[in-house]
Amino acid sequence: MLARIKQFLGMETKPKEVASKQEVEKVAEEEKTRPKIGYIHLSGCTGDIMSLTENYDILAELLTDMVEVVYGQTLVDLWEMPEMDIALVEGSVCLQDEHSLHELKEVREKANLVVAFGSCAATGCFTRYSRGGQQAQPSHESFVPIADLIKVDLAIPGCPPSPEIIAKTVVAVINGDMDYLQPMMDLVGYTEACGCDLQKKVVNQSLCIGCGTCAMACQTRAITMTNGRPEINCDRCVKCGICYIQCPRSWWPAERINKDLGL
Amino acid sequence: MVLGTYKEVVTARSTDKQIQKIAQDGGIVSALFCYALDEKIIDGAVVAGPGEDFWKPQPMVAMSSDEILAAAGTKYTFSPNVWMLKEAVRQYGLEKVGTVAIPCQTMGIRKMQSYPFGVRFLADKIALITGIFCMENFPYESLKTFISEKAGISPELVEKMDIGKGKFILETADDVIKLPLKETHGYEQNGCKVCLDYVAELADVSTGSVGSQDGWSTVFTRTDVGETLFKSAVEAGVIETKPVDEGKFGMEMLKKLSKQKKEKAMKVIDEKKAMGLPIPYKASSEKEDPLANI
């Protein structure tokens, strides 16, 4: 897959040493348009940004040639939030934390595209279970998906999102491949996720075919298949939404699949 | 596009006498997996292996030809093979996984490969999907009804199950019981009623009995991976081929059945849409080719 992305971007076919003057100018021009990316860390575990770094093969190119990281805790030494093309927001937002609320509103003002990066930002995920009364701040009780408070442009759910989907999304954004991004735009509205969506939205709607994709996709192994239907272990479900998102009967990206397969 | 996009279609069977004896039809899935294992094209394959109850399969990771052959033959109830793919990669540590998949399972895997939201480092390890033709699938209790109630025999006596020529066929050691398909009608799982794929249109290679004589299978090669593998298996002599019958019991039959499944499903899809029920597919009015799997 990564090889395909590289090929797609012409990374391997265009060595810089032999670039003509024209090409250098073109690259220089592209330099200027490298999207400025910011990373905002709210109530999440940092797993989402770690997953991004797992794109070992393309990380160097990604960070040097494809995007410019302009803001982010531990990534950039900058206090004031700058203007950004894309802001990746990790974590849900705590309604009792003024600093988070302020930061989230500021992101919306400073970024062209706000991405709910990971399930905590997209669906609330594990933080949905919070009831307050815990350290370090017992009054921090209510954690909600960022789309509850601001307009979100893209959602990349996952606990964490796979390194591959992050790479594919970044590439699609750079290339303006809106077809590929359409599901991420649609998923912005999917903020109330739970394993029981499989029962309500698939089995109850007579759509389940017992293929096992949900059980394969579940990142906490909360799903087993019993008599050809998913069985959710609620004690393990983190409400990330991945089971329903990966289900072939929730949404069906036929054109993209045919394209990817060369059919 | 009633049979999906494909490079070539042939009639074929395994040349291995042992596979011929135990296979459902031409033994194509078994032959391809055994060959792919021998040639190290795959490290293992997720197949529908025997389960605890008679005729209730269980997905298993087969790492040898013996294990592949132990899973030969069609089972007419659920085997959530896609589920086991993760285990094949994580627990068994496989780098190149093959799997046999019915059309809906193929769709789940392909969607995961194009949009691997929560599926980490698995998409690129799927080395081979052998798709099988599928009209519908049955809950296990439906199968028990056919065997125990309608045919009046014990499940352990059944040696082979098959669907062909309008009949659900149960073979025992000394008898063959044929139930007309109208007897099994109404017992299929509901999710199959909106399925637009009969011939595993998104597999690397897809195969099934329809369109070929008894003991042979019809084979479509679809992707580059599928074409390369199938050709080399034929060259290696593990599979023999002959031109597919274009006539009434060949391609015409296959096209007819695929069209029937798609038309029936489109009717249900349109009805459900009209009722405002969720359906991942487009309505007839929304697509150019009313039979396309979109």
Side-chain angles (χ1 to χ4, degrees), chain B residues 62-132:
Chain B
M63 310 271 286
S64 67
S65 297
D66 284 348
E67 286 173 326
I68 298 285
L69 298 191
T74 305
K75 291 92 184 173
Y76 289 93
T77 186
F78 317 126
S79 177
N81 287 4
V82 187
W83 180 22
M84 194 55 76
L85 289 175
K86 195 184 232 172
E87 193 153 327
V89 170
R90 301 284 198 273
Q91 262 71 41
Y92 290 70
L94 306 188
E95 290 285 329
K96 294 172 286 183
V97 189
T99 190
V100 53
I102 49 177
C104 57
Q105 295 178 326
T106 309
M107 289 162 78
I109 299 168
R110 294 307 190 196
K111 176 173 162 182
M112 177 272 287
Q113 288 181 304
S114 287
Y115 285 98
F117 276 104
V119 186
R120 175 178 169 273
F121 298 150
L122 182 64
D124 56 340
K125 296 189 173 63
I126 309 294
L128 173 65
I129 302 179
T130 310
I132 45 182

Side-chain angles (χ1 to χ4, degrees), chain B residues 12-26:
Chain B
R13 71 171 176 188
S14 163
T15 53
D16 185 308
K17 294 279 176 264
Q18 196 196 349
I19 294 180
Q20 283 180 12
K21 216 172 129 197
I22 57 171
Q24 191 74 15
D25 300 293

Side-chain angles (χ1 to χ4, degrees), chain B residues 262-292:
Chain B
K262 283 166 178 277
E263 281 173 349
K264 249 167 94 179
M266 270 325 298
K267 205 168 154 245
V268 179
I269 290 168
D270 287 341
E271 281 169 9
K272 288 202 171 214
K273 288 224 166 203
M275 284 192 276
L277 291 169
I279 283 283
Y281 311 118
K282 289 180 176 169
S284 315
S285 57
E286 295 168 317
K287 56 186 187 181
E288 263 176 57
D289 175 2
L291 302 181

